[in-house]
Amino acid sequence: MAKDEITSLEKGLERLDGTVEHIVYYNEENGYTICDLATSDDEMITVVGLMPMTGEGDRLSVYGKWIHNPKYGRQFSVSQYERVMPADVESIYRYLASRVIKGIGPKTAQRIVEEFGEDTFNVIENHPEWIVSIKGISSKLAISISESFREQAGVRSAMMFFGEYFGVATTLKIYKRWGSRSIDIARQNPYRLCNEIDGIGFEKADGMAERLGFTNNNFDRVMSGIIYILVRNDTLNGHVCLPKEKLSEGAAYLLEVDEEITLAAISELLREGKLISYEIDGKEMIYRAGVFASERYIAQKLLQLDKLCASVDVIDIGRFIENEETRSNISYAYLQKKAIEDALRYGVTVLTGGPGTGKTTVVRALIRIFDSMGFDIALAAPTGRAAKRLSEATGMEAKTIHRLLEMTYDASGSFTFCRKENCLLDEQIIIVDEASMIDTALMCALLGAIKPGARLIIIGDSDQLPSVGSGNVLRDIIDSECFSTVRLTEIFRQAQESLIITNAHKINAGVLPELSVKNNDFFFLPRSTDKEIAYTVAELCHVRLPRTYGDIGRYGTQVITPTRKGEVGTESLNILLQSRLNPSSDDKKEYKFRDKVFREGDKVMQVRNNYDIIWTSIYSEKTGNGIFNGDIGTIEEINSSESFMSIVFDDRQVRYDLSLLEDLEHAYAITVHKSQGSEYPIVVIPVYSAAQMLLSRNLLYTAVTRAQSMVILVGREDIVWEMVENDRQSMRYTGLKQLICEICTK
């Protein structure tokens, strides 16, 4: 038995051997294939999975598991596969006639096979000039056919070599990056895989290197391990840099090498310019070079915008505010007036404050004033839902920052922005909401697209959770004290009637919220154990809220929980809530993807921005592009035979390819981080024992402020107390505040 075959069988995968009779569906982008496979027992089996460049006539060995498709019955889901090139004339003809080789169709295939017989593949690969004698094949086409064939041969070799370590999709990424050199590069330095290929972590590359005979002390390994630690702390902990001693000690422990080697590797990476050393508060910090450049650019561009923007005359400012008060019949509070005044005076202004303090009122006023001055205005927010809320609040179109910057994909599949320093935004006024969610990379991209002389107005609640991505941009900008910052503190009379708002401010002030009131919009249901909490949450969503509030209770309730794991984490709650709110039935189609079962009627969330998906309005014939991180929708139809789902996101209907399901999660329950930037009519929040870093004041505050009409806490009062008292925000290593201050004082 071959080594990869043994590995596959050890994973519990079954094996089938057969010939591809018919390609039912093929996705050019990722190689997702549905085909009919004829086995040696003359059985015809439908096989589905990632099998790039598969054609009719191919001999395949496929490894996977049997699944049941509600509409099409028993199918074989492929995890790995091997291709055996056809050897007899008939199989060679069928392979070429399937158009798997660019430039060859059935007629041309017939002529080539008639001429060269069983030697056809050798001729195409090594003597393309010989097939010029075939009618319809020019010298240029012969070369193209040979290149296409060799590419497939290279992909086949890559699949066999990398299949032991990675899946098909990852192997395709490797081959697209390095082509025929892929295997040689990986053998020479497998750590280039984690440094240069998206989706391959250090552990995977390290496991491959170990099998190839690399030792722990290999210098390429140590340098890659150091980069890995920086990336991991960026991704998981939000740090843009690390103290040198922590980095060297951590690398020595992780890689099981002496610290002298890790220090030498850091020095080499510094010499090569891949790392940057920068002193913050007397401590040497180590950055990845690109991340340091991003923080420095943010500091420079913010100060440039603030310096170059022309100030409006004080007399004119007073007149604008008076006119706006008269027009809107509003008397602005002192701090609201100051916020409007500063936005007219300075190039960069920060407006922060909790719920009910009038931030939206200020934004509406600024929009009307700037519009009356003839300025073009752009409204933006980090997520689709936050942008939609901003649009609804202002009556003006707001875009995600990614859409504002016209995000697209380059040839390698990585995203890029069309709007940048060589193609600046046209607008003179840029207003960005929910700025606490903006990480270092996104702020850098946004600032790069704003033209000098334009105004930037940054709005956000600095007491909410920081961005999921790295950095602490909003707080660093505020703490630098180099830009106008107005913190709204007055809770207006109408807002004071809401216990959601008054309790949110109590939580933020470190005071226990009012939990005993039974006739307002904030309720507490005491429960002792995680099992009781989960059961009560399910009962609320399934019975009590729909019975009392009808469709608002049925469709407007969102469960928001601190964690993914555990009995009251999103993973368990989503299974429980799916079983209650959308149980399996004969009239609902299902599709299993990894460990999840997606079912017609399921509530789902998009967890990554996808700007290529085409949507159609359910109210008109309008179409557009883009489904965004945080968008929540409902699965209307599952069509396994054509490999798509139909999902409705608010007012947009999307045909969603099944190959994209890694970007989709159930959304009956979501984490607090995923809820940022969104609001829901009713929010149910389980409160239970979890890791201390998740039982924090700003996490509870963020969850509570997601509710529009009602909050229900379910769980333990002592945990509510613990969260309110825990004001220790997650410390993040960043240098933005110091960089701003250094440049500001020059």
Side-chain angles (χ1 to χ4, degrees):
M1 244 184 222
K3 185 178 179 182
D4 52 353
E5 181 181 342
I6 293 170
T7 303
S8 297
L9 296 176
E10 284 175 349
K11 292 178 181 176
L13 302 179
E14 295 186 49
R15 171 179 172 171
L16 292 178
D17 297 310
T19 302
V20 177
E21 290 292 322
H22 176 59
I23 300 293
V24 178
Y25 171 82
Y26 182 71
N27 185 313
E28 290 277 355
E29 289 296 314
N30 59 19
Y32 183 82
T33 306
I34 303 174
C35 65
D36 294 329
L37 189 76
T39 68
S40 56
D41 300 328
D42 293 328
E43 186 180 3
M44 194 67 69
I45 295 168
T46 300
V47 174
V48 300
L50 295 176
M51 295 176 284
M53 297 186 179
T54 295
E56 293 175 6
D58 270 355
R59 287 280 306 167
L60 299 181
S61 292
V62 293
Y63 301 88
K65 294 183 178 181
W66 292 100
I67 61 172
H68 180 78
N69 182 291
K71 185 173 181 180
Y72 298 98
R74 196 173 187 230
Q75 296 179 336
F76 194 79
S77 177
V78 176
S79 298
Q80 296 173 224
Y81 80 107
E82 299 168 8
R83 182 189 284 111
V84 180
M85 289 300 288
D88 61 274
V89 171
E90 176 60 26
S91 297
I92 291 171
Y93 164 72
R94 290 186 60 206
Y95 178 77
L96 295 178
S98 68
R99 301 183 187 276
V100 72
I101 304 294
K102 294 177 183 177
I104 299 181
K107 289 183 179 179
T108 305
Q110 184 68 42
R111 294 179 186 131
I112 294 174
V113 173
E114 285 177 353
E115 179 69 24
F116 300 108
E118 293 181 358
D119 203 30
T120 294
F121 289 155
N122 177 49
V123 170
I124 291 174
E125 182 173 7
N126 300 308
H127 305 287
E129 68 278 6
W130 292 2
I131 64 173
V132 175
S133 62
I134 303 298
K135 181 181 177 182
I137 298 181
S138 64
S139 296
K140 185 176 180 180
L141 180 57
I143 293 171
S144 175
I145 289 170
S146 184
E147 288 176 348
S148 178
F149 183 84
R150 283 198 298 270
E151 179 186 1
Q152 291 207 33
V155 171
R156 284 194 298 274
S157 298
M159 290 294 172
M160 294 185 71
F161 178 79
F162 291 109
E164 186 177 348
Y165 310 101
F166 312 114
V168 175
T170 301
T171 300
L172 277 178
K173 281 185 185 178
I174 297 169
Y175 192 82
K176 285 179 179 178
R177 178 65 179 269
W178 293 323
S180 60
R181 300 181 300 128
S182 299
I183 296 173
D184 289 339
I185 288 172
R187 279 187 172 136
Q188 183 178 359
N189 181 6
Y191 296 100
R192 286 186 63 180
L193 292 165
C194 60
N195 295 337
E196 301 181 38
I197 307 295
D198 289 339
I200 297 181
F202 175 79
E203 297 102 324
K204 285 279 189 182
D206 202 34
M208 182 178 182
E210 184 178 5
R211 292 194 190 186
L212 292 173
F214 285 71
T215 64
N216 279 5
N217 287 341
N218 179 276
F219 210 57
D220 286 324
R221 175 179 186 265
V222 178
M223 289 195 293
S224 292
I226 287 164
I227 298 292
Y228 162 74
I229 290 171
L230 288 168
V231 171
R232 187 172 175 82
N233 274 276
D234 179 313
T235 305
L236 297 182
N237 302 320
H239 301 309
V240 297
C241 55
L242 286 176
K244 184 177 180 180
E245 67 275 12
K246 280 184 177 289
L247 178 59
S248 62
E249 290 171 5
Y253 176 78
L254 176 73
L255 302 174
E256 298 179 343
V257 297
D258 292 336
E259 192 173 347
E260 290 131 7
I261 297 175
T262 62
L263 287 168
I266 291 171
S267 297
E268 177 60 21
L269 289 165
L270 289 168
R271 188 191 67 78
E272 292 177 1
K274 293 177 181 177
L275 299 183
I276 298 292
S277 172
Y278 177 63
E279 189 174 299
I280 300 175
D281 296 330
K283 184 174 290 187
E284 184 180 6
M285 309 297 288
I286 303 297
Y287 281 81
R288 286 179 291 148
V291 178
F292 180 76
S294 294
E295 278 208 328
R296 183 172 56 187
Y297 181 83
I298 291 170
Q300 291 170 336
K301 187 63 179 281
L302 283 171
L303 290 162
Q304 181 196 62
L305 289 173
D306 201 43
K307 181 179 180 181
L308 295 181
C309 185
S311 177
V312 177
D313 188 89
V314 174
I315 296 175
D316 291 333
I317 291 174
R319 179 170 52 83
F320 279 127
I321 293 175
E322 288 175 9
N323 290 343
E324 187 55 34
E325 286 183 318
T326 301
R327 194 205 66 79
S328 59
N329 194 29
I330 292 175
S331 179
Y332 296 118
Y334 167 74
L335 287 174
Q336 289 180 313
K337 286 183 180 180
K338 177 169 172 49
I340 296 169
E341 179 181 328
D342 284 5
L344 291 166
R345 289 181 59 193
Y346 303 112
V348 175
T349 306
V350 179
L351 175 62
T352 188
T357 56
K359 295 192 298 293
T360 301
T361 300
V362 172
V363 174
R364 290 195 193 108
L366 287 171
I367 289 171
R368 287 191 288 264
I369 290 171
F370 285 127
D371 184 59
S372 71
M373 297 170 69
F375 288 128
D376 291 327
I377 306 166
L379 302 184
T383 67
R385 281 189 163 259
K388 183 179 179 183
R389 284 179 52 219
L390 184 57
S391 293
E392 292 169 348
T394 61
M396 178 180 172
E397 182 188 13
K399 300 177 180 178
T400 65
I401 296 174
H402 289 79
R403 183 168 289 286
L404 179 69
L405 302 183
E406 299 175 18
M407 180 183 138
T408 186
Y409 293 91
D410 59 24
S412 68
S414 301
F415 77 81
T416 184
F417 296 111
C418 296
R419 293 290 186 170
K420 42 193 169 187
E421 287 188 316
N422 61 355
C423 184
L424 297 170
L425 293 166
D426 299 321
E427 291 84 0
Q428 299 100 334
I429 309 295
I430 312 294
I431 300 176
V432 183
D433 197 11
E434 294 288 355
S436 63
M437 300 174 65
I438 302 177
D439 60 26
T440 300
L442 189 56
M443 180 59 84
C444 182
L446 174 64
L447 291 171
I450 299 176
K451 61 186 177 184
R455 276 182 171 79
L456 175 62
I457 299 161
I458 302 170
I459 304 162
D461 188 342
S462 59
D463 294 316
Q464 288 188 20
L465 292 171
S467 59
V468 175
S470 64
N472 206 351
V473 175
L474 177 61
R475 186 170 290 276
D476 281 350
I477 291 172
I478 293 171
D479 289 348
S480 74
E481 300 182 354
C482 290
F483 305 99
S484 163
T485 299
V486 178
R487 177 182 287 274
L488 301 179
T489 55
E490 180 182 349
I491 306 174
F492 290 94
R493 186 172 59 189
Q494 186 176 357
Q496 289 177 353
E497 298 173 3
S498 168
L499 201 56
I500 294 174
I501 290 176
T502 55
N503 270 345
H505 284 273
K506 282 185 175 182
I507 291 167
N508 201 32
V511 177
L512 184 70
E514 178 58 64
L515 302 178
S516 59
V517 175
K518 303 297 183 183
N519 60 350
N520 206 294
D521 55 7
F522 192 107
F523 302 93
F524 174 66
L525 300 179
R527 297 293 185 272
S528 299
T529 67
D530 288 0
K531 186 174 183 178
E532 290 174 334
I533 294 168
Y535 175 82
T536 301
V537 168
E539 185 191 23
L540 282 167
C541 296
H542 183 218
V543 180
R544 294 168 64 175
L545 291 172
R547 184 174 60 201
T548 306
Y549 301 101
D551 284 349
I552 292 295
R554 184 174 292 105
Y555 303 114
T557 299
Q558 183 60 59
V559 178
I560 300 177
T561 186
T563 67
R564 292 181 62 89
K565 303 294 185 180
E567 198 166 2
V568 206
T570 57
E571 293 179 3
S572 294
L573 280 178
N574 272 317
I575 293 171
L576 174 62
L577 291 169
Q578 183 192 40
S579 70
R580 297 287 188 88
L581 303 176
N582 190 34
S584 177
S585 68
D586 293 339
D587 60 346
K588 295 177 186 174
K589 299 185 186 71
E590 297 180 353
Y591 185 85
K592 186 172 183 180
F593 180 78
R594 296 176 183 165
D595 59 343
K596 298 185 183 75
V597 175
F598 291 100
R599 184 175 299 140
E600 290 176 344
D602 270 346
K603 183 179 182 181
V604 292
M605 172 184 276
Q606 177 76 10
V607 295
R608 293 180 185 84
N609 290 334
N610 188 323
Y611 290 84
D612 293 332
I613 291 181
I614 298 172
W615 54 260
T616 304
S617 172
I618 62 175
Y619 300 118
S620 67
E621 296 181 359
K622 181 181 177 183
T623 62
N625 292 71
I627 299 297
F628 309 111
N629 184 7
D631 281 354
I632 291 178
T634 303
I635 299 174
E636 282 202 328
E637 178 190 0
I638 297 176
N639 190 324
S640 300
S641 64
E642 297 184 37
S643 192
F644 77 89
M645 290 181 182
S646 177
I647 303 177
V648 173
F649 293 93
D650 296 323
D651 58 348
R652 297 159 296 158
Q653 188 166 35
V654 173
R655 183 182 168 108
Y656 200 99
D657 196 290
L658 296 184
S659 65
L660 301 174
L661 285 182
E662 63 183 358
D663 294 345
L664 208 64
E665 293 181 356
H666 290 102
Y668 299 104
I670 62 175
T671 63
V672 180
H673 280 93
K674 282 296 182 186
S675 75
Q676 283 183 271
S678 300
E679 283 186 348
Y680 312 94
I682 301 173
V683 169
V684 177
I685 307 170
V687 282
Y688 53 94
S689 182
Q692 192 174 34
M693 62 181 292
L694 294 171
L695 299 181
S696 65
R697 181 185 301 174
N698 63 346
L699 187 138
L700 180 60
Y701 173 76
T702 301
V704 167
T705 54
R706 299 309 92 205
Q708 295 169 321
S709 304
M710 184 183 299
V711 166
I712 304 175
L713 300 184
V714 182
R716 293 165 47 185
E717 185 172 345
D718 64 309
I719 298 297
V720 178
W721 258 116
E722 186 176 339
M723 296 179 83
V724 170
E725 292 180 335
N726 180 13
D727 193 29
R728 290 180 295 175
Q729 298 187 17
S730 299
M731 190 277 296
R732 291 190 169 189
Y733 290 115
T734 75
L736 180 59
K737 172 187 169 182
Q738 181 167 306
L739 283 163
I740 292 172
C741 293
E742 284 181 1
I743 298 170
C744 186
T745 54
K746 285 183 180 178

